[in-house]
Amino acid sequence: MNSRQPIPVVVLAGFLGSGKTTLLNHLLKSSRGTRIGVVVNDFGSIEIDAMKVAGQVGDSMVSLGSGCLCCAVDGSELDVYLERLSRPANRIDVIVIEASGLAEPQELIRMLMAGENPAVRYGGMVEVVDAAEFDATRARHPETDRHLAVADLVVLNKTDRVAAEERARIETVLAGLCPGTPVVPADHGRIDPELLFDRRPWTETRGQLSFEDLMAEFDDGHAEHAHSRYESTEFVSEQALSPRRFIDFLDARPAGLYRIKGYVHFGVPGHDDRYEIHAVGRFLRFTPQPWGRAEPRRTQLVLIGSGADGPALLAGLAACREPEPELQSPDTMWGVLRYVSREPEEAQATSMP
């Protein structure tokens, strides 16, 4: 990741026993070159090399580069840890905050949105739900419904422990508690990391196998590949897209579409930058960037989901093409600009309604 671009900060929430740490360790073991910074347990943090931390860092342990440190840090110090993690020398690509089981995710989101560190930006909130203890958790923690209401993506974990009928019932309840929020089924926290962040290319190693190589080999032989549960649809258009029709497409996207990433060319007068899009669940952010020298003006998108109709998605995107973008009024960009920071140095973000 370009060190000058803000680092996305993803909040991983869920009550005790839901499987947050298991999911986090899966992300770390499956990072394939992505450097993940982790803040855990309200809060303990500092730079974490993902492959060293997988399976070794507990709820009160943090990595300090040369060693580990047990601590219980107050949430008011979050900005301090994010500043350390986001230093260019650390080369961190994404930061994951694993909140404690009793944390208030709304407060975490507020702190991230109000933060003044231009090196980081809010990247969405993921709520992990224990399918086997769903009703008991709601009874014990009535605030569950409030947490689900602000989630951008829900991971329904431990689906291997419930019957198909029970899982369908829980999904129906979730649809009522957080309408429009995608729900990703998982067992043992195995979800595709690309549902949450971009993975860097995994460079081949020479000589002795690295820890990353060994963990990948272990996963190859002992676990179902998470990516086998999802489909990827790619869309490329040499023609600009209508900002209004594209926002309408995003508003109506199916619940099974978990992630959208890539670049969009609108070509509207005064807005000729390329617009990087990052969507996780209902979280959406556009980041305008200058085109590279001799870079062709075109839209390139990757859509990741489960059960989504690929041909229908492509048809919907094709319908967004605009043959004469130069004749469009700048007002047509209003819907897109709702999800763009007003000032370049701000690290704001907005969830789709």
Side-chain angles (χ1 to χ4, degrees), residues 38-312:
V38 177
V39 182
V40 294
N41 195 35
D42 282 14
F43 302 99
S45 149
I46 310 298
E47 176 187 358
I48 292 181
D49 181 327
M51 301 318 300
K52 290 181 180 178
V53 112
Q56 300 181 32
V57 177
D59 283 347
S60 62
M61 297 290 288
V62 301
S63 168
L64 193 56
S66 59
C68 290
L69 174 69
C70 289
C71 63
V73 183
D74 184 80
S76 63
E77 298 183 52
L78 176 61
D79 285 341
V80 175
Y81 294 116
L82 292 179
E83 190 279 327
R84 294 182 187 177
L85 282 166
S86 61
R87 289 172 183 169
N90 292 330
R91 296 181 291 112
I92 294 296
D93 299 302
V94 62
I95 298 171
V96 178
I97 297 178
E98 182 194 355
S100 81
L102 300 178
E104 282 291 341
Q106 298 99 318
E107 180 62 16
L108 290 176
I109 295 170
R110 185 196 65 77
M111 292 168 65
L112 290 169
M113 298 281 281
E116 298 181 355
N117 182 356
V120 298
R121 60 176 172 81
Y122 175 57
M125 197 275 272
V126 179
E127 181 79 9
V128 184
V129 174
D130 183 342
E133 298 291 332
F134 180 67
D135 293 330
T137 300
R138 290 185 70 203
R140 188 166 55 249
H141 300 288
E143 62 270 30
T144 298
D145 294 3
R146 185 174 71 250
H147 295 183
L148 287 166
V150 299
D152 297 298
L153 189 72
V154 175
V155 175
L156 182 59
N157 197 27
K158 306 184 184 181
T159 54
D160 56 313
R161 295 179 54 190
V162 298
E165 295 81 6
E166 175 65 1
R167 171 179 156 182
R169 182 190 69 84
I170 295 172
E171 290 176 339
T172 299
V173 175
L174 289 172
L177 294 174
C178 44
T181 302
V183 177
V184 181
D187 60 83
H188 298 89
R190 292 195 293 260
I191 66 170
D192 191 333
E194 298 219 28
L195 296 183
L196 305 182
F197 53 81
D198 292 336
R199 285 190 288 188
R200 297 173 60 136
W202 187 21
T203 57
E204 295 184 6
T205 56
R206 298 180 181 272
Q208 185 177 3
L209 285 176
S210 67
F211 183 74
E212 186 176 63
D213 297 325
L214 293 172
M215 290 306 302
E217 285 196 354
F218 177 84
D219 286 344
D220 286 346
H222 294 81
E224 175 191 355
H225 288 294
H227 64 73
S228 66
R229 305 177 189 180
Y230 311 107
E231 303 90 35
S232 176
T233 300
E234 297 182 2
F235 175 78
V236 178
S237 176
E238 305 295 335
Q239 204 169 65
L241 300 190
S242 160
R244 284 179 175 168
R245 290 198 293 274
F246 187 57
I247 288 294
D248 288 343
F249 170 86
L250 295 174
D251 285 340
R253 66 191 187 273
L257 184 57
Y258 306 132
R259 177 81 194 281
I260 303 174
K261 59 182 180 178
Y263 301 96
V264 186
H265 171 45
F266 294 115
V268 174
H271 302 277
D272 197 36
D273 286 336
R274 70 175 188 178
Y275 282 76
E276 181 183 21
I277 180 173
H278 169 74
V280 174
R282 62 179 182 176
F283 172 82
L284 175 65
R285 181 185 176 90
F286 286 100
T287 304
Q289 303 169 349
W291 295 93
R293 289 185 180 180
E295 182 179 1
R297 268 55 169 173
R298 62 184 169 193
T299 294
Q300 295 177 286
L301 298 173
V302 177
L303 302 92
I304 303 173
S306 178
D309 186 337

